[in-house]
Amino acid sequence: MPEPAPLNLASHAARRARLADWLGDGIAVVATAPEAVRNRDTHYPYRFDSYFYHLTGFTEPEAVLVVVGGMSPRAILFCRDKDETREIWDGFRYGPAAAQTAFGFDEAHAIAELDARLPDLLGNRARLAWAIGDSPAWDARMLGWLNAVRGKARQGIAAPAELLDVRTCLDELRLVKDAHELDVMRRSAAIASEAHRRAMRATRPGRREYEVEAELLHAFCAGGAQAPAYASIVAGGGNACVLHYVANRDTLRDGDLLLIDAGCELDGYASDITRTFPVNGKFSAAQKDAYEIVLAAQTAAIAAVRPGAAWIAPHDAAVRVLTQGMVDLGLLKGEVDGLIESNAYNRFYMHRTGHWLGLDVHDAGEYKRDGDWRPLLPGNVLTVEPGLYIRPADDVPAAFHNIGIRIEDDVAVTASGADVLTSPPKTVSEIETWMQG
Ligand code: GLY
Ligand code: MN
Ligand code: MN
């Protein structure tokens, strides 16, 4: 049996208290994710809802959290009953009584009681919050309960007049990671870093992209991660110029680069790393020239990560270095400022330099506030991932055709700067030395 994820009750309880404060005299309903059929009677591996998990630490399907705000705040879990027969087939389930004690809820009930209890809980509350629009089926249930309360008007029971999206509050909570989350993310990053080191060592001409993917999966599992955080990209040669390449079937060729974008999920938290390196272990002159530009862009972007800096500062720093590099390599002609202004660099660099990272690989949280890029805060975690993608064209020097490079690390904003969580070999000499080992 795999070990259960270590519980961190204080963090989950603190988040529920913040939600209760935000609600005032209101109530929030947060459901976990449904199970999903893959085909016939086989399901996808179950993954809880990230918001629900952030508030509870509870990983079973068929569970709903109700948080009541106001003068006497309460957290109520609805979950599956104990069921000896189902537990013989599918494994342990807590049941409401044990879940209440183990996870520190004020109350817990069987999920089958949700329809009966929700209208009473909603009565005389000023506002009701849920993830509005996330699931049509769930919206319909919420509105059904709301109408059930409205049906009690003649008993003097008022329905909530205000409907709020609970994610307005929860996204902000998820943006700033606490010490426990940072610890889990550091461990997720360490497992993924080891996976990249292993994959680099296993790469050689003639192997298939999926054989290298197998090395990543081995390291994720052996390191204790529960799953890849997203479909791994193992892209040899020109496949690296397809940003979301996940087929991973081609044969790796001598003289090509290999781009690997892969991270794992540990106890809910994602890592997200990209490395690009030569299939034969030695960069050609053109590959090295292009690689050094992306590396310099990433170094400049990471240097721009610090508390108070605008979210977009690392991207702007990377774009400047990349655009200068495109001119130096003969990919673009003109002044750097003008090429940035006109977005001409988009031909070879068409994505942003990063995203929030956390329970979701593209994590929750806004990037702008009132029209301005938001300032970075200690506890934010983001990726820094500049790239250069050079498709063959008549006006592009042939030596650079089909070179696709991205370098991606996971970075935590600290009180004074940035902490890079990920660590596979990155410079040309680190990569070449590691691959010779
Ligand atoms: N692996 C997804 C991304 O880098 O954003
Ligand atoms: Mn990535
Ligand atoms: Mn990423």
Side-chain angles (χ1 to χ4, degrees):
M1 284 287 282
E3 283 176 39
L7 288 174
N8 183 48
L9 297 180
S11 290
H12 299 299
R15 293 170 199 143
R16 294 195 297 268
R18 297 268 302 271
L19 172 58
D21 276 352
W22 180 80
L23 287 166
D25 186 19
I27 184 167
V29 184
V30 181
T32 197
E35 294 173 288
V37 172
R38 186 173 186 276
N39 51 350
R40 213 169 171 85
D41 58 352
T42 304
H43 288 75
Y44 284 103
Y46 182 69
R47 171 55 157 77
F48 43 77
D49 174 80
S50 296
Y51 292 105
F52 176 86
Y53 179 77
H54 196 239
L55 292 169
T56 63
F58 194 68
T59 58
E60 291 183 20
E62 295 186 274
V64 172
L65 173 71
V66 176
V67 172
V68 180
M71 299 301 281
S72 36
R74 272 183 302 156
I76 307 165
L77 179 76
F78 290 84
C79 68
R80 301 183 303 194
D81 268 324
K82 291 292 287 176
D83 181 333
E84 215 172 294
T85 310
R86 286 315 326 159
E87 290 183 61
I88 288 170
W89 286 87
D90 301 330
F92 176 79
R93 39 175 89 178
Y94 276 92
Q100 180 182 340
T101 311
F103 292 81
F105 298 107
D106 300 299
E107 283 178 42
H109 305 286
I111 189 75
E113 295 179 25
L114 199 58
D115 282 325
R117 288 183 181 269
L118 249 280
D120 285 344
L121 285 165
L122 264 49
N124 293 326
R125 295 278 152 201
R127 54 194 69 87
L128 167 61
W130 82 92
I132 298 172
D134 184 50
S135 145
W138 190 252
D139 287 348
R141 279 189 89 178
M142 292 296 309
L143 296 178
W145 292 321
L146 198 55
N147 283 332
V149 189
R150 289 187 181 127
K152 299 180 185 206
R154 269 174 293 165
Q155 299 166 41
I157 298 173
E162 240 181 287
L163 303 183
L164 302 172
D165 195 315
V166 72
R167 292 169 293 191
T168 313
C169 169
L170 303 185
D171 284 352
E172 286 299 303
L173 295 186
R174 284 176 56 182
L175 260 183
V176 177
K177 276 68 179 173
D178 68 18
H180 177 261
E181 291 180 290
L182 288 170
D183 177 55
V184 179
M185 292 193 74
R186 223 175 276 287
R187 290 189 287 122
S188 180
I191 295 168
S193 296
E194 174 57 24
H196 278 259
R197 282 192 284 272
R198 184 182 170 99
M200 269 185 202
R201 278 259 166 101
T203 296
R204 59 187 64 92
R207 296 199 87 179
R208 297 289 202 119
E209 291 166 342
Y210 56 73
E211 292 181 81
V212 177
E213 183 181 12
E215 303 292 335
L216 296 164
L217 294 173
H218 175 101
F220 291 165
C221 265
Q226 289 86 356
Y230 52 91
S232 304
I233 297 170
V234 182
N239 293 339
C241 296
V242 179
L243 296 180
H244 291 162
Y245 177 82
V246 290
N248 301 353
R249 304 305 296 174
D250 283 351
T251 302
L252 299 172
R253 288 187 317 221
D254 200 356
D256 278 352
L257 291 174
L258 176 61
L259 182 154
I260 297 180
D261 184 343
C264 61
E265 183 175 298
L266 177 72
D267 299 344
Y269 286 83
S271 43
D272 181 7
I273 304 178
T274 307
R275 287 294 184 266
T276 311
F277 53 93
V279 167
N280 63 15
K282 185 97 184 109
F283 284 86
S284 72
Q287 288 166 349
K288 182 167 181 293
D289 288 347
Y291 189 87
E292 295 287 12
I293 288 164
V294 181
L295 184 58
Q298 204 221 22
T299 304
I302 292 174
V305 176
R306 70 181 82 95
W311 158 262
I312 203 69
H315 177 69
D316 288 343
V319 164
R320 184 153 290 278
V321 175
L322 288 170
T323 307
Q324 179 66 58
M326 292 171 203
V327 173
D328 296 345
L329 295 180
L331 303 175
L332 293 179
K333 292 183 180 46
E335 293 297 318
V336 168
D337 284 339
L339 295 168
I340 293 173
E341 185 70 26
S342 65
N343 293 325
Y345 69 87
N346 278 166
R347 180 172 172 201
F348 304 105
Y349 182 49
M350 57 297 279
H351 60 76
R352 284 230 191 258
T353 303
H355 49 82
W356 303 127
L357 183 71
L359 286 166
D360 300 329
V361 64
H362 295 163
D363 207 30
E366 292 177 328
Y367 292 89
K368 276 189 171 180
R369 263 281 158 101
D370 302 325
D372 293 322
W373 296 108
R374 58 192 305 160
L376 297 174
L377 296 169
N380 289 160
V381 181
L382 58 144
T383 65
V384 179
E385 50 179 305
L388 201 51
Y389 312 93
I390 312 172
R391 289 169 172 270
D394 289 344
D395 60 342
V396 168
F400 298 113
H401 286 188
N402 287 319
I403 287 183
I405 297 168
R406 179 163 64 255
I407 307 173
E408 175 175 29
D409 285 293
D410 304 343
V411 180
V413 183
T414 65
S416 57
D419 186 6
V420 180
L421 309 180
T422 38
S423 61
K426 187 158 70 169
T427 65
V428 165
S429 71
E430 283 168 357
I431 289 171
E432 292 187 346
T433 304
W434 177 254
M435 290 186 73
Q436 278 165 22

